[in-house]
Amino acid sequence: ELNRILVVSIMGRLIKAMVPAEILNGKDISAQIRARLKNQVIQLKEQVPGFTPGLAILQSTIHGFIVQLPLDSDNSINTEGLINTIAPEKDVDGVTSISAGKLARGDLNDCFIRCMPKGCLELIKEAGVQIARRHAVVIGHSKIVRAPMHDLLLWNNATVTTCHPKTAYLDEEVNKGDILVVATGWPEMVKGEWIKPGAIVIDSRINYVPDDKKKTNGKKIVVDVSALESIKRFLEKFKPRKRMNQYNNLNFKAPVPSDIDISRSCKLKPIGKLAREIGLLSEEVELYDKTKAKVLLSALEHLKHQPDGKYWVVTGITPTLQEKGKARLQSGWCKPFVPISTRTFLCVRQPSQGPIFGIKGVAAGGGYSQIIPMQEFNLQLTGDIHAITVANNLIAAATDAQIFHELSQTDKALFNHLVPSVNGVRKFSDIHIRRLNRLGIEKTDSTTLTDEEINRFARLDIDPEIVTWQSMLDTNDRFLRKITIRQTPTKKGHTRTAQFDSSVASEIMAVLALTTSLEDMRERLGKMVVASSKNGEPVSAEDLGVGGALIVLMKAAIKPNFMQTLEGTPVFVHAGPFANIAHGNSSITADRIALKLVGPEGFAVTEAGFGADIGVENFFNIKSRYSGLRPHVVVLVATVRGGPVVTAEMPLPKAYIEENLELVEKGFSNLKKQIENGRMFVIPVVVAVNAFKMDTETELDLVSHLSREHGAFDAVKYTHWAEGAKGALALAQAIQRAAQAPSSFQLLYDLKITAQKIYGIDDIELLPKAQHKAEVYTKQGFGNLPICMAKTHLSLSHNPEQKGIPTGFVLPICDINASIGAGFLYPLVGTEATLKVWSVSIQAQWELGSIREPRVIPCPEDLKLIVGISPDVIFSLNSHHVQIT
């Protein structure tokens, strides 16, 4: 801190004095100033014994010097000689030869730096521009800006070219610069057309040029860069309300080709070009290839002053055998808003390989409404799910390793492994200190711990029967759903039952979707509870000491993946949590960036998995609770057909191919309930009726009429599977109107209220295990977390066979699990018997002779009674046996 600053002003001669910091200017008052300074020097002589005017004497009493350059004098003055009399440690403005030398050598922490170049550097950083690995061009002659600016950029890892007004081919040199700093004093020397698109320009000089329009002095102020008009046009173009990105025009064919053929036939726009069009800076985009990229969270910093756009969530009715079409609705979006001058951005979840290679198939949309390239979207993408799998399995391995070592080692041996001796000294790391603090042990010296404290510190005392963390795999491998581990002789025979779950069901996936920053993710990952101790205490990932490793594994996954649709709509593909045991929504970070990019008149479209009774309920009560974002519209996707059982290799029932208005009206009950579910949160609901080729106009009109009659803001059919954006224009207009309608978003709660309102139950029943878990979590301090109901998506009830709107039933809760890092509890809905049907596998010893094809076989009556499934099940051939699952 500079308490006093000496301003040395040269006016005809050097006046050496200690004065308060002030600006001295104007020859007309120079005589008065000299007289005053003379008196101050006389006073200093009286106050300081042996005082002689001179900089050398002043060095001992002054904290810092600023010499106002250039020196204003009628006579020649040795500027270098003057400034080099200042001690380097008091050279506030960094003008001495020693300060300049240290800067040139890179000793940035051991010298003062001139305020102008340092200010330019801070402006560049404040703008969120990455300096490292960028090409910088500095233009000028002066030592005040040009030389120190060159050195500062160089030591911040930029490649720097220094030019001056007479540099040959200056326009070409300027055009190479990602960063351009100009300090020439030549009015409008650098032309706007020379500047590289997207470059950051800092002009550090002002000049006066004649201007007859200025009545006061006949001059106007200009800068060195003649780019003002270009900047105005650029900023006008970049206003979010203006549509910047150019959409692709598709070549529609009838009949509609296969999804993969359409995907491969489309010419993709380079993803970097699309990023620039929508307003992302080049340093905020990490390209993986020409089709996909990641967007850094720093984009939120540069967009922080941008107002958010409108926010709407896509959900659906209870799934039927005929898909609803949420992904297709989103994938064909954005271009319908072009005629009404509105920008749109999609935010979707990344699909899992389990459903992709199972019955459901791909999740990129279909027809002329797809996210492309579909093979990249559906398989691997940028590796986020792989990172989650590795991080998850690190915890699983660390948990069992901890159990194993605690079984075979003493407290002292465990402690010595945890705190190894380095040069004879055992020193606690930051991880150790945090664990000691959680245990209430306020010690930092490892030698001062008592035996009891060493025991508490070194042992987690995990109960092998209450390990809640499972290994994960992003593939449906049913033979790993229940396994026995630790069977090798080296593991001392301490076997236990474990299992592999789907990677997208991992709590780490839920954390990824709900996190708001890298720091927030680090905290959430550390809080994840993986087991309980034998005393009933929760054991977290932080207790295992793997929190730091987890954030390293996940640091790339937190950045949203950036892709596009067939027609050029920008898309964030980020996170992919299951919608029943996780919350089933795309990430908060993707939604936030999208809302900023579309601007106040645009739309950010996000999705909620499964039906509105699961996905939207979780979206509002969990995701919105943590994000603070409030949606403007719920878009509820519905199909006309669904309900009757479809049997493999058998013709479709007539209900799927013939008009049946009576059945449509009867089946509307589920859609009616889902409209009510959306409106419970006091948000307008727009029903999007996904038209299939077998649907009749009468049926589609009936669904729309009934929807409006029962509370929907509007209901509109859409046909962009076959027609692309054109088939969704009317729906886009309805959504825009709904977004302007009054709304007053509110949350539901508690658990019983939510279940009664969303599912229509009479009551809930906590079975003994669930009751015990509720008491344990309350004791552990987790009783006030939001709830994610883990139930079947095929019915509003816990029984997938009950369609429409089941009534008069009690919802059984057989267990409650906790995702503490993600921040919610998830009750398991159903009884023990109904849950077992998901894990029981029976080998039926029926000889099939030469038959090698899958076929339908009547279910044995005793099996039907045990698990309560329908009379017919599909068996898959396994050699000569039939496997029942």
Side-chain angles (χ1 to χ4, degrees):
E1 182 180 359
L2 304 177
N3 296 321
R4 292 172 295 168
I5 295 180
L6 174 66
V7 177
V8 180
S9 178
I10 305 300
M11 306 181 69
R13 63 189 177 88
L14 177 63
I15 299 174
K16 309 172 184 67
M18 177 180 178
V19 298
E22 56 186 301
I23 298 173
L24 306 176
N25 192 16
K27 292 182 179 180
D28 55 335
I29 59 169
S30 61
Q32 300 173 29
I33 294 172
R34 287 174 183 174
R36 191 179 70 198
L37 291 177
K38 182 179 179 179
N39 292 332
Q40 291 178 346
V41 170
I42 293 171
Q43 292 174 12
L44 279 172
K45 285 183 178 181
E46 296 173 353
Q47 294 172 5
V48 182
F51 176 82
T52 301
L55 283 176
I57 299 297
L58 292 178
Q59 302 278 6
S60 62
T61 58
I62 303 302
H63 293 84
F65 292 83
I66 294 178
V67 179
Q68 183 66 43
L69 297 176
L71 300 179
D72 179 17
S73 173
D74 294 332
N75 303 311
S76 176
I77 295 176
N78 182 354
T79 302
E80 289 295 318
L82 169 65
I83 61 179
N84 282 320
T85 60
I86 301 173
E89 66 272 16
K90 300 185 179 184
D91 177 20
V92 176
D93 211 17
V95 294
T96 66
S97 298
I98 292 177
S99 295
K102 286 185 176 181
L103 175 59
R105 199 171 59 186
D107 297 336
L108 304 185
N109 296 323
D110 192 32
C111 68
F112 285 106
I113 300 169
R114 290 212 62 125
C115 62
M116 177 66 78
K118 189 168 185 179
C120 292
L121 186 73
E122 291 302 315
L123 280 173
I124 295 169
K125 291 180 177 178
E126 180 67 21
V129 176
Q130 177 182 318
I131 299 175
R133 300 186 299 278
R134 309 305 293 274
H135 192 137
V137 177
V138 181
I139 307 176
H141 276 299
S142 77
K143 299 176 183 177
I144 297 174
V145 177
R146 188 262 305 161
M149 195 73 245
H150 169 278
D151 295 337
L152 280 174
L153 289 166
L154 184 67
W155 295 119
N156 278 272
N157 301 310
T159 300
V160 187
T161 300
T162 304
C163 303
H164 50 78
K166 301 213 175 160
T167 297
Y169 306 109
L170 182 59
D171 57 340
E172 295 181 8
E173 295 298 332
V174 170
N175 191 252
K176 296 175 183 176
D178 302 304
I179 300 168
L180 179 64
V181 181
V182 186
T184 65
W186 289 32
E188 299 183 321
M189 186 200 73
V190 177
K191 307 304 179 187
E193 58 267 22
W194 296 0
I195 300 170
K196 180 180 180 180
I200 182 171
V201 182
I202 296 183
D203 194 324
S204 63
R205 292 291 297 269
I206 60 173
N207 311 279
Y208 290 93
V209 297
D211 187 354
D212 296 337
K213 296 178 181 178
K214 300 293 182 181
K215 296 180 179 179
T216 53
N217 59 1
K219 296 179 180 180
K220 70 174 181 180
I221 295 176
V222 297
V223 291
D224 292 353
V225 181
S226 177
L228 187 58
E229 290 306 315
S230 299
I231 292 169
K232 283 182 178 178
R233 289 194 298 270
F234 179 82
L235 291 175
E236 181 66 22
K237 188 179 180 184
F238 254 91
K239 285 183 180 178
R241 64 176 178 271
K242 302 289 185 181
R243 178 175 59 86
M244 280 196 58
N245 48 314
Q246 302 298 313
Y247 295 101
N248 302 329
N249 293 316
L250 301 181
N251 181 22
F252 296 99
K253 295 181 180 180
V256 177
S258 68
D259 293 348
I260 189 66
D261 286 341
I262 294 174
S263 175
R264 289 174 175 170
S265 68
C266 181
K267 185 178 180 180
L268 286 166
K269 181 186 298 185
I271 201 69
K273 182 175 186 292
L274 179 59
R276 290 192 298 273
E277 288 178 353
I278 64 173
L280 287 167
L281 303 177
S282 55
E283 59 270 15
E284 295 166 350
V285 181
E286 292 180 353
L287 298 178
Y288 272 63
D289 54 34
K290 292 183 178 180
T291 67
K292 58 185 180 293
K294 277 190 170 290
V295 174
L296 277 63
L297 301 193
S298 59
L300 283 170
E301 180 63 23
H302 118 252
L303 294 166
K304 64 183 178 182
H305 300 300
Q306 168 83 293
D308 285 350
K310 302 292 185 182
Y311 189 37
W312 54 274
V313 58
V314 177
T315 185
I317 58 173
T318 298
T320 66
L321 291 172
Q322 185 177 34
E323 61 171 322
K324 299 187 296 298
K326 293 199 303 293
R328 186 181 308 148
L329 169 64
Q330 291 175 285
S331 303
W333 215 254
C334 192
K335 197 174 178 183
F337 284 94
V338 174
I340 50 179
S341 302
T342 302
R343 292 166 60 102
T344 310
F345 209 115
L346 310 184
C347 299
V348 301
R349 292 176 298 163
Q350 182 179 350
S352 164
Q353 288 188 28
I356 287 172
F357 292 109
I359 294 175
K360 183 178 180 181
V362 298
Y368 289 103
S369 298
Q370 296 186 49
I371 298 169
I372 54 172
M374 65 177 297
Q375 64 273 24
E376 298 282 342
F377 175 85
N378 287 296
L379 299 174
Q380 189 70 5
L381 198 54
T382 58
D384 292 355
I385 294 181
H386 173 72
I388 289 165
T389 304
V390 173
N392 184 97
N393 292 345
L394 169 63
I395 297 175
T399 302
D400 278 300
Q402 184 75 24
I403 295 172
F404 170 72
H405 289 304
E406 289 187 16
L407 286 171
S408 58
Q409 297 185 40
T410 64
D411 292 350
K412 193 66 176 176
L414 287 170
F415 181 82
N416 290 342
H417 282 303
L418 284 170
V419 191
S421 175
V422 179
N423 298 325
V425 178
R426 299 187 187 276
K427 187 177 179 181
F428 287 132
S429 68
D430 290 341
I431 293 176
H432 296 144
I433 296 296
R434 287 196 294 270
R435 172 154 173 76
L436 288 168
N437 290 338
R438 289 195 300 276
L439 293 171
I441 302 173
E442 297 181 359
K443 295 181 180 179
T444 57
D445 186 347
S446 64
T447 62
T448 61
L449 264 63
T450 65
D451 289 343
E452 187 269 338
E453 288 171 339
I454 288 175
N455 172 272
R456 292 174 59 207
F457 171 78
R459 289 188 181 276
L460 299 180
D461 202 22
I462 296 172
D463 187 341
E465 300 300 319
I466 317 179
V467 174
T468 56
W469 197 267
Q470 307 297 344
S471 297
M472 297 288 172
L473 194 67
D474 191 36
T475 306
N476 279 348
D477 191 337
R478 63 184 70 252
F479 299 103
L480 294 178
R481 291 179 181 174
K482 190 69 67 176
I483 58 175
T484 303
I485 61 174
R486 300 192 209 148
Q487 298 191 68
T488 60
T490 57
K491 299 301 177 286
K492 310 294 189 294
H494 296 287
T495 62
R496 76 174 181 89
T497 300
Q499 67 191 60
F500 274 80
D501 291 334
S502 173
S503 295
V504 291
S506 170
E507 183 178 351
I508 298 177
M509 177 63 89
V511 166
L512 175 65
L514 292 173
T515 195
T516 54
S517 66
L518 203 62
E519 294 75 18
D520 178 60
M521 176 180 271
R522 173 64 180 85
E523 183 178 352
R524 286 174 178 271
L525 292 173
K527 286 181 177 179
M528 295 186 304
V529 173
V530 303
S532 290
S533 71
K534 293 174 182 176
N535 292 327
E537 296 297 320
V539 177
S540 68
E542 196 69 51
D543 292 324
L544 291 171
V546 297
L550 294 177
I551 197 64
V552 172
L553 290 170
M554 292 296 296
K555 64 183 176 65
I558 195 174
K559 306 166 190 174
N561 302 300
F562 182 46
M563 297 185 77
Q564 62 187 296
T565 68
L566 285 168
E567 296 185 85
T569 303
V571 183
F572 279 143
V573 185
H574 200 215
F578 271 4
N580 47 9
I581 56 177
H583 55 89
N585 288 271
S586 53
S587 78
I588 290 174
T589 53
D591 289 3
R592 281 183 168 173
I593 298 173
L595 282 164
K596 294 294 184 184
L597 287 170
V598 298
E601 298 174 14
F603 285 91
V605 185
T606 193
E607 71 162 329
F610 288 155
D613 57 307
I614 297 179
V616 146
E617 192 270 319
N618 292 337
F619 172 83
F620 288 131
N621 283 325
I622 297 177
K623 182 177 178 180
S624 294
R625 190 183 297 267
Y626 285 118
S627 72
L629 300 173
R630 297 297 182 255
H632 297 81
V633 185
V634 174
V635 178
L636 183 59
V637 180
T639 51
V640 171
R641 283 165 167 73
V645 175
V646 175
T647 305
E649 299 185 358
M650 299 295 289
L652 284 172
K654 289 184 178 181
Y656 286 95
I657 55 178
E658 296 180 359
E659 181 176 280
N660 190 328
L661 299 180
E662 181 181 351
L663 194 57
V664 169
E665 190 161 1
K666 180 180 178 182
F668 175 76
S669 60
N670 184 270
L671 176 55
K672 174 187 172 184
K673 178 58 180 170
Q674 302 292 23
I675 293 171
E676 291 176 6
N677 288 341
R679 295 186 66 213
M680 283 178 192
F681 300 92
V682 199
I683 301 291
V685 175
V686 174
V687 174
V689 186
N690 186 6
F692 283 71
K693 61 182 180 181
M694 67 283 290
D695 298 337
T696 68
E697 287 299 320
T698 307
E699 290 174 322
L700 294 167
D701 290 343
L702 178 60
V703 173
S704 299
H705 170 73
L706 291 172
S707 298
R708 288 188 288 267
E709 192 176 71
H710 288 87
F713 179 89
D714 204 350
V716 183
K717 76 169 183 178
Y718 66 100
T719 57
H720 57 327
W721 176 79
E723 299 180 294
K726 175 185 173 183
L729 178 57
L731 181 58
Q733 293 168 334
I735 293 170
Q736 189 181 46
R737 292 194 304 272
Q740 307 302 326
S743 64
S744 179
F745 174 72
Q746 65 182 29
L747 298 169
L748 301 180
Y749 264 47
D750 57 22
L751 171 60
K752 185 172 180 179
I753 293 174
T754 299
Q756 285 177 330
K757 290 188 175 181
I758 296 293
Y759 310 134
I761 67 168
D762 283 352
D763 203 352
I764 63 169
E765 178 188 6
L766 286 178
L767 298 181
K769 188 175 182 180
Q771 184 67 50
H772 171 70
K773 286 284 195 71
E775 294 168 359
V776 169
Y777 292 141
T778 301
K779 181 181 177 182
Q780 293 176 344
F782 307 139
N784 294 322
L785 291 176
I787 301 296
C788 174
M789 301 292 280
K791 62 177 287 293
T792 178
H793 60 290
L794 298 175
S795 172
L796 288 167
S797 74
H798 59 288
N799 184 351
E801 299 299 322
Q802 291 184 311
K803 305 300 181 182
I805 309 181
T807 57
F809 65 96
V810 174
L811 193 71
I813 309 295
C814 70
D815 199 357
I816 303 176
N817 289 335
S819 291
I820 304 304
F824 57 81
L825 303 176
Y826 58 99
L828 303 179
V829 177
T831 63
E832 291 290 348
T834 55
L835 287 176
K836 284 180 180 176
V837 74
W838 296 98
S839 59
V840 172
S841 182
I842 302 172
Q843 294 291 334
Q845 305 297 318
W846 290 316
E847 181 61 46
L848 298 182
S850 61
I851 299 175
R852 291 291 184 272
E853 297 297 325
R855 61 179 51 217
V856 177
I857 301 176
C859 176
E861 195 66 23
D862 56 344
L863 180 62
K864 185 178 88 173
L865 293 174
I866 291 171
V867 297
I869 60 176
S870 58
D872 293 327
V873 292
I874 300 173
F875 297 86
S876 60
L877 188 67
N878 180 11
S879 184
H880 288 283
H881 304 108
V882 174
Q883 179 180 310
I884 306 171
T885 301

